[in-house]
Amino acid sequence: MDIPSYEDVLQAHQRITPYIHRTPVLTSSYLNQLSGAEIFFKCENLQKVGAFKARGASNAVFGLSDADAVNGVATHSSGNHAAALSFAAARRGIDATVVMPNNAPATKKAAVKSYGGRILECEPTQAAREAMLEQVITETGADAVHPYDDPRVIAGQATCALELQQEVDQLDAVVAPVGGGGLISGTCLTMSTISPQTRIYAAEPANADDAYRSFHAGEIVRQDAQQSVADGLKTNLCPLSWHFVSSFVSDILLASESEILDAMYLTWQRMKIIIEPSSAVPLAIILKNKDLFQGQRVGVIITGGNVDIKNCPGCK
Amino acid sequence: MDIPSYEDVLQAHQRITPYIHRTPVLTSSYLNQLSGAEIFFKCENLQKVGAFKARGASNAVFGLSDADAVNGVATHSSGNHAAALSFAAARRGIDATVVMPNNAPATKKAAVKSYGGRILECEPTQAAREAMLEQVITETGADAVHPYDDPRVIAGQATCALELQQEVDQLDAVVAPVGGGGLISGTCLTMSTISPQTRIYAAEPANADDAYRSFHAGEIVRQDAQQSVADGLKTNLCPLSWHFVSSFVSDILLASESEILDAMYLTWQRMKIIIEPSSAVPLAIILKNKDLFQGQRVGVIITGGNVDIKNCPGCK
């Protein structure tokens, strides 16, 4: 297993900085009052392609040698990583092929197409995705960039916590969502190196609690077909992300579907930013576990803002 | 007529900086592509109280001597200025009284109350507002802080363009909405001093086009009971704002109700920020007058984000 180092994070940051936004860190007096904590929101919803995934994908794409890049890149993803890889490939002028389940939301397909990615549809199962990706790689020689099970991607996602820490130090805790574990792994990698006293919490939907179960079982527990409004968090941990989660995460906390949606609308209404349901899980767990964060400086990573506003669950 | 100077703007900036957010300037590749311009959005929707009005109100409140401050402040306003004055007064520990029309939206009343402002309701006419405010001032000795017809307020709003210019120079144009004219006046005051080559455009709803008519008539044209989804822009110019508009504005451009709403949703969906309808008028006029802005660096002031998302016109 190829575990990325902090040196990889610094290299990634240098590599991707020309292609990504330096996203702002926002605060809200209202949410501070409500939570009893002082919360610093790193707003990756305002990132290129509307999600932190632009970081990991850009690091993978721009880290390729010219010889390796010429055959393009490929991935399977139903969401933001697919758009991010298409975006980064277009910036480098190479092809991106994305294997997507045929039930992926139209907005996510449109995003991939708008960045010039080629979509191949498959049945909505993990096996079908992997088989079709394998076929693409065999046929094209493309470099496979997994959404999270890739050290280059994790080093890229780690730059998010790096920038947060550059602007706001002495954080008592950082909270980030956990799905496949790319972002939380990057967060662990950065924070454990430059601010080891900061506690790291993973926030997960109770409806897709494979990481929570893994954490308590002491080994990866896989769960298929998890369903949550936080559609970015339905994936399972992999050995690489499990390494970081099991080594550095203080706890994994769960939020219900309605708690997630409440936190999402609260953020829309009070912070004036659009966040997708996955991004609301950290605030939901902060508001529900006040004793853990009372009086503390807490960093939150807002992971993305790609949601169909007019058709969002519970919006009406 | 007491016309604020650029020196007043610098003093205002120093005075209010401890109490307000330094709001980010955001860009969107998508909107740049769509418009053919390079647009820099100064995001005052992410300001305290969700609007630039925090600037002018804070400048007025914190500029008062202790002797003058002791009786509190008062205003008549149906919107963001009322919340902003309540916010600033609470920060200084003095009373704020707000005369509001009895048909003001519940969300705006709630905002004033949440900042500790006292609301007095009146009939929804200009005359009723002014009479009741006069009475409040007589009874309490409060300092009247008009939403825009006040040099302290204009100097405060001018700090917005100052910060924009500090981050993004060599702007070919700046576009800001015009209602009563406080923001556009402050924008004129700053830009005409530090970047006189930058053209200044005022953006106005076609349904509330008193400033447009004034501009073309060469004198203030008042229009009563203007109705627009951009509810912050229904007010008329005053002599002080007319001074700035007539002296420094290159043109006033109009947008229809549907163009405003389209630009608003486009901003929500693509920039991942919540803006209120009034804030969408500049983007609407940029998208409809592409020849004016093609290939240019354009600053846009996003004025606020106070909109009831679940009950927003056309949202469903």
Side-chain angles (χ1 to χ4, degrees), chain B residues 104-118:
Chain B
T107 48
K108 303 223 158 171
K109 287 185 201 168
V112 168
K113 282 183 194 157
S114 77
Y115 295 111
R118 176 173 72 123

Side-chain angles (χ1 to χ4, degrees), chain B residues 201-220:
Chain B
Y201 293 95
E204 194 175 37
N207 269 15
D209 64 349
D210 64 288
Y212 175 89
R213 288 173 191 255
S214 303
F215 193 73
H216 289 281
E219 61 180 7
I220 297 181

Side-chain angles (χ1 to χ4, degrees), chain A residues 6 9 158-159 161-162 165 185-195:
Chain A
Y6 182 62
V9 179
T159 62
L162 178 64
Q165 178 70 17
S185 295
T187 305
C188 287
L189 173 51
T190 294
M191 299 307 287
S192 66
T193 308
I194 63 179
S195 185

Side-chain angles (χ1 to χ4, degrees), chain B residues 186-258:
Chain B
T187 306
C188 288
L189 173 51
T190 294
M191 298 307 287
S192 66
T193 308
I194 62 179
S195 185
Q197 74 285 4
T198 303
R199 297 173 347 263
I200 300 168
Y201 293 95
E204 194 175 37
N207 269 15
D209 64 349
D210 64 288
Y212 175 89
R213 288 173 191 255
S214 303
F215 193 73
H216 289 281
E219 61 180 7
I220 297 181
V221 175
R222 296 185 63 87
Q223 297 193 144
D224 278 342
Q226 302 187 109
Q227 288 307 322
S228 169
V229 64
D231 60 319
L233 305 180
K234 295 188 287 186
T235 40
N236 288 186
L237 294 177
C238 62
L240 185 55
S241 54
W242 171 244
H243 161 76
F244 286 103
V245 167
S246 59
S247 306
F248 300 109
V249 165
S250 293
D251 207 353
I252 298 185
L253 300 166
L254 301 177
S256 71
E257 299 294 289
S258 66

Side-chain angles (χ1 to χ4, degrees), chain A residues 53-247:
Chain A
K53 299 274 186 179
R55 296 176 182 269
S58 297
N59 189 44
V61 164
F62 285 96
L64 290 174
S65 69
D66 287 345
D68 288 339
V70 75
N71 296 320
V73 287
T75 195
H76 61 77
S77 161
S78 59
N80 289 325
H81 176 67
L85 194 67
S86 305
F87 156 80
R91 291 301 301 266
R92 183 148 182 190
I94 62 176
D95 290 338
T97 304
V98 176
V99 176
M100 273 185 137
N102 53 24
N103 62 355
T107 48
K108 301 222 160 172
K109 287 185 202 169
V112 168
K113 283 181 193 160
S114 77
Y115 295 111
R118 177 172 72 120
I119 296 176
L120 296 179
E121 294 197 0
C122 68
E123 292 302 308
T125 68
Q126 192 69 15
R129 285 179 178 210
E130 286 171 8
M132 189 174 282
L133 179 60
E134 199 51 52
Q135 192 186 336
V136 168
I137 288 163
T138 308
E139 285 172 8
T140 64
D143 187 277
V145 183
H146 191 277
Y148 46 91
D149 190 11
D150 185 315
R152 303 168 297 177
V153 170
I154 288 178
Q157 318 307 31
T159 62
C160 189
L162 178 64
E163 291 181 5
L164 173 62
Q165 178 70 17
Q166 283 171 348
E167 284 187 44
V168 188
D169 59 0
Q170 298 191 304
L171 289 169
D172 298 298
V174 167
V175 188
V178 60
L183 178 68
I184 195 80
S185 295
T187 305
C188 287
L189 173 51
T190 294
M191 299 307 287
S192 66
T193 308
I194 63 179
S195 185
Q197 74 286 1
T198 303
R199 299 176 341 265
I200 299 167
Y201 293 94
E204 194 175 37
N207 269 16
D209 64 348
D210 64 288
Y212 175 89
R213 287 172 192 255
S214 303
F215 193 75
H216 289 281
E219 61 180 6
I220 297 180
V221 175
R222 296 185 63 87
Q223 297 193 143
D224 278 342
Q226 301 186 111
Q227 289 307 322
S228 169
V229 65
D231 59 317
L233 306 180
K234 295 188 288 187
T235 40
N236 288 186
L237 294 177
C238 62
L240 186 54
S241 54
W242 171 243
H243 160 75
F244 285 102
V245 167
S246 59
S247 306

Side-chain angles (χ1 to χ4, degrees), chain A residues 29 48 269 272 306-307, chain B residues 29 48 269 272 274 306-307:
Chain A
S29 307
K48 292 280 183 187
Q269 195 74 61
K272 319 299 181 192
N306 293 321
V307 54
Chain B
S29 307
K48 291 280 182 187
Q269 195 74 60
K272 319 299 180 191
I274 299 279
N306 293 322
V307 54

Side-chain angles (χ1 to χ4, degrees), chain A residues 248-269:
Chain A
F248 299 110
V249 164
S250 292
D251 206 352
I252 299 185
L253 300 166
L254 302 176
S256 71
E257 298 294 289
S258 66
E259 287 163 347
I260 293 168
L261 284 173
D262 286 351
M264 183 183 82
Y265 287 116
L266 193 61
T267 305
W268 289 19
Q269 195 74 61

